[in-house]
Amino acid sequence: MTPEEMLLDRIHPAPVEQPEWTPDAPAVPPVRTIVLDRPPVAVVPPPQRNALREPDASGPLRLQLDSVGVAYGAKQAVKSVSLSIHQGEVLALIGPSGCGKTTLLRTLNRLTELTPSAGSSGEIRLDGEDIHDLPDTTLRSRVAMVFQQPNPFPMSIFDNVAFALREQSRKRPRRRELEPLVIDALRRAGLYEEVHDDLDRPALRLSGGQQQRLCIARAIAPRPEVLLMDEPCSALDPISTGVIEELIGELRRDLAVVIVTHNLAQARRVADRVAFMYLGDLVEYGTVGQVFEEPRAARTRDYVRGAFG
Amino acid sequence: MSAVAPYQPAGKPPAHRRGRRSSPTSWRWIDRIALCAAWIAGLGLCAIAAAIVIYMGVRGFEYLRPSLLFTRPAPSVSQSQSGGFLDPILGTLMLTLVGVVLAVPLGVCSALWIAEYGRPSWLARTVESSIEVVAGTPDIVIALFGLAIFQLGLFAPFSFTSSGGGVYGRSFIAAGAMMSLIALPPLFTATRDGLQTVPMHMREAAFALGKTRITTIRRVLLPSVRSNIATGVTLGVSRIIGDTAIVILLLGGALQLETQGSAPGLNLLRGTGPTLTSYVYDNSPAGEGGAPQKAYAAAFVLLVFVFALNLLVDWIGRRQTRSTGMTAAWGIV
């Protein structure tokens, strides 16, 4: 073989002889049965809702956003968004990553102020009051928030909820006074039955889903008017997600709920109204049925059909 | 395209095999040398540590008598009359106490300021470099500086004063104050690193509940860095216990605890005395050279103290991970 031939042989190797097909060899190789985990059994059945249903008769207006904009330095993260948020309904903020959903959510309790470069414009009124006129501590106990990561404090279950209830007062309320409030909050968050035997257990020993419900209990303990949820289920398994979605459905009776989610199916399941944000703009706002079935904007249609995102 | 998965043989997966690795004979010489050096350095360090421990252990067991721990030293040329080292042990404990009591608030508060406030940034940088300067200053320099400070008339109440009104600047308070500077850097670093590992969303969770920053620090952050502070304290204490220069300069070469004034407790702090390190120095062939046996015995006790503290640091670290799952949980988040 000459070197050229060897090189050619390397580039185009001679075809390997395929073994002859014989009739007695099985035509289709046996398929191994893969045993899946047992199908998820949700503790609470998933909410059965008609996606096309109109929202419940809306409760009182809680939050009114008037051309709200947020910028980080020169970057405009949210451009002029106007919305109204009522008690008794769940508003889902949907949209691709980096489109200002979380920023908008964090503006509602002025948590964006923790970022030194962030500046906001426009007006947000909580029950008719400008939120910039309220002290931040008051505002945040009226507009509570649940985060993406379950983040209980490294203390007992009881203390986690009690921490939210203790005012910035000189005198610490006693455990006897706080106990009914703590238990009530845990009950409303659907956690009490699972933890009632030992409220002094460290909260970090709970499972992820339980931790997130503890965070919800902590947030709703001071009886806020609005509950902000920043992708509350994205770190959780499907069963815990189902439980929390059911919980959101119950909570909206007493609260206005704003939820940011990447999960369109989740938005369909839990939300009454949907706001679609794209590159900082509020592109579409309407009931679940409108946004998912008859979107007005082409962007929305493409997004809810999964063409991008 | 069929939807059938390719044939997967059923049954146990085969045992793991280890792939062949390149043999060092094919390596570059520099890599071969480096590999040998790494092994030798590691093993050599073990040997050195073992040598120290074994030598001091043998000497310690040879010369240490329980009575030495409980008798006071006495100025005598005769070894049978010169007593034990009760006073140096008490002196070490007292000095450590003063140093820690001063260093903990200073270190923890400065770490809190850096980690939680830290603005304006030029000031934060200045604070951090100040700590580095303190950490890098040789202890003999710190001691000299302390002597200069405590000899000022202003600080006369803290130390020995001669009958003529001259301030000696030597006392457990003066030495403890300078020791707190020795203990400060590890304490500061441990606390700051602990605070920096607390995830941001933990703070945000507290802010979102309408809590102020200071409440968040007190109720959320400080409890979660408790074990970091404990580690820092232990590291600081082992540095205080082992330091000699400050003791020599700011306590002098006293053999016994000497009181100053009449207030009980305070008179000890205002007075001077020996510590284990100064006792070892004084009795070693390098010092007065009186009693190397006693120096070895005291050095053994010193070593036991420091090892016990190191074990304590380890134990604190493990306990935190085990009991709260905190480090583990935060490691993932």
Side-chain angles (χ1 to χ4, degrees):
Chain A
M1 238 187 212
T2 64
E4 286 82 15
E5 276 172 345
M6 277 170 71
L7 194 65
L8 272 177
D9 190 50
R10 264 206 198 166
I11 297 169
H12 302 292
V16 181
E17 279 298 310
Q18 294 290 336
E20 197 68 21
W21 181 78
T22 46
D24 41 300
V28 177
V31 178
R32 190 178 61 161
T33 341
I34 295 166
V35 183
L36 291 171
D37 292 338
R38 63 192 168 77
V41 185
V43 183
V44 180
Q48 298 292 324
R49 303 258 209 93
N50 180 0
L52 282 167
R53 150 189 76 87
E54 286 297 304
D56 299 344
S58 294
L61 177 67
R62 283 303 182 196
L63 271 178
Q64 173 84 51
L65 281 69
D66 195 4
S67 47
V68 173
V70 190
Y72 294 111
K75 188 181 175 285
Q76 193 75 23
V78 174
K79 303 164 194 163
S80 188
V81 169
S82 300
L83 277 177
S84 53
I85 299 160
H86 294 261
Q87 180 174 328
E89 67 177 31
V90 178
L91 170 69
L93 297 176
I94 61 169
S97 299
C99 279
K101 310 184 296 290
T102 299
T103 301
L104 180 62
L105 195 74
R106 290 162 64 94
T107 313
L108 301 183
N109 64 352
R110 282 168 53 198
L111 219 52
T112 37
E113 288 176 5
L114 295 179
T115 318
S117 65
S120 67
S121 58
E123 213 181 341
I124 304 172
R125 281 187 300 278
L126 174 66
D127 292 337
E129 251 178 307
D130 191 326
I131 63 164
H132 290 90
D133 295 340
L134 291 166
D136 50 359
T137 51
T138 315
L139 170 70
R140 288 171 193 161
S141 58
R142 287 172 66 183
V143 181
M145 184 155 179
V146 174
F147 294 81
Q148 184 171 6
Q149 284 291 343
N151 50 6
F153 301 123
M155 28 171 131
S156 73
I157 296 171
F158 183 91
D159 284 341
N160 259 281
V161 183
F163 178 66
L165 288 166
R166 289 188 178 120
E167 295 293 315
Q168 309 277 355
S169 57
R170 300 272 161 76
K171 198 162 156 280
R172 269 164 74 106
R174 302 185 173 225
R175 183 168 175 136
R176 228 192 5 260
E177 299 160 35
L178 284 177
E179 192 142 24
L181 299 172
V182 169
I183 290 175
D184 176 58
L186 287 170
R187 229 182 224 129
R188 280 187 291 147
L191 187 63
Y192 186 65
E193 296 309 315
E194 292 162 49
V195 299
H196 67 96
D197 48 340
D198 188 6
L199 289 180
D200 292 320
R201 218 172 346 153
L204 290 169
R205 297 253 181 94
L206 296 173
S207 74
Q210 287 174 326
Q211 287 189 6
Q212 191 63 303
R213 275 179 286 151
L214 179 63
C215 292
I216 294 175
R218 194 173 66 182
I220 61 180
R223 296 267 171 191
E225 292 142 57
V226 182
L227 180 63
L228 311 176
M229 304 180 108
D230 187 1
E231 300 188 46
C233 300
S234 66
L236 302 182
D237 60 277
I239 299 174
S240 308
T241 303
V243 174
I244 286 181
E245 285 177 4
E246 174 72 6
L247 182 60
I248 294 170
E250 284 167 17
L251 286 176
R252 72 190 174 127
R253 277 200 310 258
D254 314 322
L255 289 162
V257 179
V258 187
I259 178 171
V260 164
T261 179
H262 267 115
N263 183 338
L264 290 176
Q266 181 175 58
R268 266 188 128 120
R269 287 192 298 266
V270 302
D272 299 301
R273 288 178 188 277
V274 176
F276 170 61
M277 291 191 66
Y278 185 69
L279 298 181
D281 276 317
L282 178 66
V283 176
E284 185 118 11
Y285 170 73
T287 61
V288 181
Q290 261 170 26
V291 174
F292 281 99
E293 310 300 336
E294 307 140 14
R296 283 178 289 240
R299 278 267 173 233
T300 319
R301 193 193 57 218
D302 294 346
Y303 182 72
V304 300
R305 286 186 186 167
F308 72 100
Chain B
M1 216 34 195
S2 83
V4 177
Y7 173 66
Q8 311 269 326
K12 248 173 48 172
H16 287 286
R17 289 175 52 201
R18 191 141 187 201
R20 192 174 151 195
R21 293 195 290 176
S22 81
S23 127
T25 49
S26 66
W27 293 7
R28 289 167 141 238
W29 267 107
I30 185 85
D31 291 346
R32 291 194 219 183
I33 294 169
L35 181 72
C36 290
W39 273 92
I40 290 168
L43 296 177
L45 203 63
C46 292
I48 293 171
I52 294 176
V53 171
I54 291 170
Y55 182 73
M56 294 316 293
V58 167
R59 289 300 182 128
F61 277 115
E62 194 178 340
Y63 300 123
L64 186 62
R65 300 281 169 274
S67 63
L68 285 180
L69 296 175
F70 302 111
T71 44
R72 302 191 62 183
S76 167
V77 188
S78 154
Q79 278 311 301
S80 56
Q81 313 263 296
S82 66
F85 35 85
L86 176 66
D87 282 21
I89 290 179
L90 291 179
T92 294
L93 292 180
M94 234 155 71
L95 191 59
T96 308
L97 192 73
V98 176
V100 167
V101 163
L102 294 177
V104 166
L106 202 60
V108 171
C109 289
S110 52
L112 275 174
W113 185 82
I114 283 280
E116 301 307 314
Y117 296 93
R119 229 173 283 281
S121 52
W122 61 264
L123 190 57
R125 275 199 302 277
T126 313
V127 170
E128 292 220 309
S129 8
S130 311
I131 304 259
E132 274 160 29
V133 166
V134 171
T137 309
D139 48 358
I140 188 81
V141 178
I142 290 184
L144 206 59
F145 175 71
L147 205 56
I149 294 275
F150 279 93
Q151 277 177 342
L152 296 176
L154 182 65
F155 294 108
F158 293 133
S159 65
F160 255 108
T161 315
S162 73
S163 52
V167 182
Y168 283 119
R170 288 179 165 174
S171 71
F172 276 103
I173 296 177
M178 291 302 121
M179 283 297 190
S180 71
L181 292 184
I182 296 279
L184 182 69
L187 185 58
F188 169 83
T189 313
T191 312
R192 185 198 55 191
D193 292 354
L195 286 169
Q196 282 170 350
T197 55
V198 177
M200 195 57 207
H201 61 72
M202 200 58 84
R203 296 177 180 83
E204 286 183 346
F207 298 149
L209 289 172
K211 301 299 166 187
T212 53
R213 193 177 283 270
I214 196 77
T215 309
T216 308
I217 290 174
R218 183 163 48 81
R219 298 269 291 128
V220 178
L221 297 178
L222 275 184
S224 42
V225 297
R226 217 163 18 196
S227 72
N228 296 78
I229 296 176
T231 310
V233 167
T234 326
L235 288 173
V237 166
S238 63
R239 291 188 66 176
I240 293 180
I241 289 181
D243 197 90
T244 318
I246 291 175
V247 177
I248 302 278
L249 262 74
L250 285 167
L251 283 176
L255 188 61
Q256 293 188 331
L257 293 176
E258 285 163 36
T259 57
Q260 164 79 356
S262 55
L266 196 63
N267 60 358
L268 276 174
L269 291 179
R270 288 176 63 195
T272 67
T275 67
L276 280 170
T277 49
S278 70
Y279 185 83
V280 170
Y281 172 72
D282 283 340
N283 281 302
S284 75
E288 316 275 303
Q293 298 90 343
K294 287 193 176 158
Y296 281 124
F300 179 69
V301 173
L302 191 61
L303 212 57
V304 168
F305 273 23
V306 173
F307 279 169
L309 279 169
N310 282 340
L311 287 180
L312 194 65
V313 175
D314 272 9
W315 179 73
I316 290 168
R318 274 202 309 271
R319 195 189 53 149
Q320 182 188 14
T321 326
R322 201 178 50 228
S323 70
T324 62
M326 202 143 63
T327 334
W330 287 356
I332 298 163
V333 167

